[in-house]
Amino acid sequence: MNIPNLIGYHTSSEGTITFQTINPITDQLHLELFVEATQAEVDQSANLANAAYRPFSRTSPMERARFLKAIATELEQNKSLLINTYCGESGLNEQRAEVEFARTIFQLTSFADLLSQDLWEVKHIDLAEPNRTPTPKPQLTKYRLGIGPIVVFGASNFPFAYSTVGGDTAAALAAGCPVIIKSHPFHAHTSYQVAKLVVKVAKELNLPEGVFSHLNASGYEVGQQLVQHPLIQGIGFTGSIKGGVAIQQLAQQRSVPIPVFAEMGSLNPVVILPSALKKESDIIASKLALSITQSSGQFCTKPGALFLVKSAETTHFLETFKTIFEKQVSYSMVHPTIARTYTQRAKQVIDQANVQLFTEGTVTNTCNLGIPQLSLTNGQIFDSNKLLQEEVFGPHALLVICKDQQEIEQILENIHGQLTFSLFHNEENIEAHNLFFLALEKAGRVILNGVPTGVEVSPAMQHGGPFPSSSDSRFTAVGTDSIERFLRGVTVQK
Ligand code: NAP
């Protein structure tokens, strides 16, 4: 069966390039053939999105809230089909699919609730003072306006929540921006099934054609054509640093540059102070082993490096951690390419001078395994080798044993921007410590006595840190504040 592109309210499959998705657990190809979009189809979707922008941005916030809620209802009604396809294409289990599905629904309804607030579209009103001296003051009303058609690139590891109708799409639609999805080739069918429901709802609500389009693509070309298209006004990207940077550069080279909100990879350092080990060493070991290995470590917030001070407590912690870690089971990763890259990157780390394999998890009998691994080095080596400071996407973490807390601080002064920074401690007033301030400078979210995986969807969430974890640390990709990425202010003065 051929799967077409969804361009506005039409299906289209003009291209000659087709591709298939795979079940990563069995290595079996699925039968559906996805027809990759052509340049002409990219143009059609951009033209329709541009035409839809004016009427869609003029809909009331309540109308857009209705749209988002109706999408959530439609997803709920098709939940078992969607979860089935999700599991078959990603190898992620049903429990994980359920959590991600619920999160996707919550994101849609959170934006709907935000838009339902009275006068949401008005940011500030400054009343006129006609009698002010020496000059009268005019009335100023600052409105929120969507920036225009947005292209969304989803990541391989979140087929629901960071993809077709995930956080970026929900935020852009809430802002009044039409959306074109560059579907992720690893979960193209899940994406297509979700997209069909969005199109159905848009049609039923008589929204302008082009408010949502969905393009199939197996390589970079379609995404690059979309980023370069003059009618596109912004990009939401979730993926690797390499991909995000490439897209950002492309957007900057346009004759009219556009913003790229790229949420990328991160090492997510975890500092475990001796005071924490004295209090609950074994609990910390259990929490971290799970955080590194769950869903095969395929989270942008997975802890990638753990910093400890050389001591008797650390020796005890490492023994317990080893025992717990060895019981962690390997799972299929979301795609053979991701599994291969993971295995190569983990090996590359372990092959560095003065780095050694500390221990491994239990190997199971499915395809495309991400075998949980811990490697070990010291502070000096970590500090001097940039390769050790980069994300390994999968169930791997590097243990960095330092001389003292001062060495940990020195090393972490030199790392680049992070999504998260975790600090296990049992200090009186950690928020007055240098390490805490350093964490605030380096990351978007600082976690005290907890693990970084499990990103709460909340208005108080900051998901996005200094470059290269994100392209613009002033914005979040999670929570209702993420709508700010797709809005601009317009003041009406009278
Ligand atoms: P990826 O390889 O960067 O792919 C993401 C999307 O971007 C895909 O659709 C990909 O197309 C496209 N792409 C990548 N490079 C491109 C280029 N040069 N030109 C045009 N398109 C390009 O990432 P992934 O493997 O799907 O996801 C894993 C990564 O995402 C990890 O690094 C993880 O940490 C990160 N992530 C970050 C967050 C966050 O919120 N910060 C959340 C989830 C995941 P193709 O597939 O066709 O190559």
Side-chain angles (χ1 to χ4, degrees):
M1 183 177 59
N2 277 9
I3 305 286
N5 300 286
L6 300 174
I7 302 179
Y9 295 147
H10 300 96
T11 58
S12 181
S13 36
E14 289 171 6
T16 51
I17 301 172
T18 57
F19 64 97
Q20 287 164 278
T21 58
I22 197 163
N23 181 328
I25 295 176
T26 60
D27 251 350
Q28 296 289 307
L29 281 169
H30 294 293
L31 296 178
E32 294 78 16
L33 282 180
F34 298 87
V35 184
E36 180 153 323
T38 61
Q39 174 75 65
E41 287 169 326
V42 167
D43 290 343
Q44 283 165 30
S45 61
N47 286 330
L48 275 177
N50 183 52
Y53 168 63
R54 194 170 280 172
F56 186 57
S57 65
R58 291 179 191 179
T59 53
S60 68
M62 282 307 288
E63 283 174 89
R64 298 201 294 280
R66 209 170 304 130
F67 182 30
L68 297 177
K69 277 192 180 152
I71 296 171
T73 305
E74 202 64 44
L75 293 179
E76 291 276 22
Q77 282 166 0
N78 291 276
K79 184 175 165 184
S80 57
L81 169 78
L82 296 175
I83 289 200
N84 207 14
T85 313
Y86 169 113
C87 294
E89 280 189 323
S90 68
L92 296 166
N93 64 28
E94 211 175 310
Q95 191 194 358
R96 158 68 199 271
E98 289 273 357
V99 172
E100 208 187 315
F101 187 85
R103 181 190 170 116
T104 308
I105 300 290
F106 184 71
Q107 289 174 162
L108 288 161
T109 52
S110 300
F111 282 111
D113 292 345
L114 181 78
L115 295 177
S116 306
Q117 289 170 7
D118 276 351
L119 288 179
W120 173 83
E121 67 275 37
V122 177
K123 195 162 184 187
H124 300 292
I125 302 181
D126 214 356
L127 292 179
E129 292 176 38
N131 300 325
R132 189 179 73 175
T133 54
T135 51
K137 183 180 163 189
Q139 176 172 313
L140 301 170
T141 309
K142 188 168 186 172
Y143 291 93
R144 299 179 158 107
L145 188 68
I147 59 175
I150 302 296
V151 169
V152 172
F153 291 75
S156 59
N157 58 334
F158 278 96
F160 288 145
Y162 282 97
S163 286
T164 321
V165 75
D168 285 0
T169 302
L173 293 176
C177 301
V179 170
I180 302 175
I181 301 292
K182 201 296 281 184
S183 143
H184 200 292
F186 295 177
H187 44 77
H189 202 198
T190 312
S191 191
Y192 174 73
Q193 285 176 340
V194 170
K196 268 204 311 189
L197 300 176
V198 179
V199 171
K200 176 173 178 267
V201 172
K203 244 176 163 170
E204 282 169 2
L205 294 180
N206 278 325
L207 291 171
E209 180 173 14
V211 71
F212 185 85
S213 288
H214 182 264
L215 303 182
N216 301 319
S218 60
Y220 294 164
E221 220 175 335
V222 171
Q224 292 175 349
Q225 288 165 357
L226 283 165
V227 175
Q228 288 169 312
H229 201 288
L231 296 176
I232 298 302
Q233 301 301 329
I235 309 291
F237 174 93
T238 307
S240 61
I241 293 177
K242 194 163 146 260
V245 168
I247 282 169
Q248 201 184 15
Q249 283 170 354
L250 214 56
Q252 284 303 311
Q253 286 158 10
R254 293 167 42 125
S255 57
V256 180
I258 53 169
V260 173
F261 300 101
E263 297 307 323
M264 302 178 275
S266 181
L267 185 68
N268 303 307
V270 177
V271 175
I272 309 168
L273 292 181
S275 59
L277 292 184
K278 284 191 182 117
K279 192 176 169 224
E280 47 181 18
S281 179
D282 295 0
I283 294 172
I284 296 172
S286 300
K287 282 183 184 171
L288 280 168
L290 190 63
S291 183
I292 294 163
T293 58
Q294 64 184 339
S295 289
S296 246
Q298 299 170 105
F299 288 120
C300 52
T301 52
K302 178 215 68 176
L306 317 183
F307 298 85
L308 295 127
V309 174
K310 194 169 183 177
S311 65
E313 285 84 14
T314 293
T315 306
H316 169 77
F317 169 80
L318 292 180
E319 280 164 14
T320 317
F321 197 33
K322 191 167 192 259
T323 311
I324 297 172
F325 202 85
E326 280 164 1
K327 292 187 190 132
Q328 304 302 310
V329 175
S330 56
Y331 292 104
S332 279
M333 299 194 75
V334 293
H335 194 265
T337 311
I338 295 272
R340 214 167 26 247
T341 308
Y342 166 65
T343 307
Q344 284 163 359
R345 277 283 294 127
K347 182 173 181 322
Q348 190 183 32
V349 166
I350 293 157
D351 284 350
Q352 298 300 300
N354 298 309
V355 179
Q356 68 200 68
L357 177 66
F358 181 66
T359 195
E360 285 193 327
T362 308
V363 178
T364 53
N365 189 23
T366 51
C367 302
N368 302 305
L369 287 185
I371 300 169
Q373 284 185 329
L374 288 176
S375 49
L376 182 74
T377 192
N378 64 46
Q380 210 187 347
I381 297 298
F382 179 86
D383 196 29
S384 61
N385 189 340
K386 290 281 172 214
L387 200 140
L388 301 178
Q389 300 170 21
E390 289 167 19
E391 175 191 47
V392 176
F393 187 61
H396 174 271
L398 178 61
L399 297 158
V400 185
I401 311 300
C402 300
K403 289 199 291 272
D404 47 30
Q405 189 176 324
Q406 207 184 351
E407 188 181 33
I408 296 183
E409 289 179 27
Q410 274 164 9
I411 292 169
L412 293 178
E413 282 281 355
N414 299 330
I415 59 163
H416 52 53
Q418 303 289 330
L419 288 172
T420 71
F421 189 123
S422 309
L423 191 45
F424 283 94
H425 75 99
N426 189 26
E427 310 290 312
E428 268 292 295
N429 184 10
I430 193 72
E431 293 181 27
H433 280 227
N434 185 43
L435 200 50
F436 180 75
F437 287 104
L438 184 62
L440 295 182
E441 282 170 26
K442 290 289 174 185
R445 180 163 55 108
V446 176
I447 301 119
L448 297 177
N449 291 324
V451 292
T453 44
V455 181
E456 196 63 39
V457 181
S458 145
M461 177 51 69
Q462 175 60 34
H463 188 66
F467 186 85
S469 66
S470 309
S471 56
D472 193 335
S473 63
R474 293 170 297 174
F475 297 96
T476 176
V478 173
T480 41
D481 272 2
S482 66
I483 195 171
E484 299 298 338
R485 297 171 300 167
F486 305 118
L487 289 170
R488 65 185 179 90
V490 183
T491 297
V492 176
Q493 178 176 333
K494 39 187 188 189

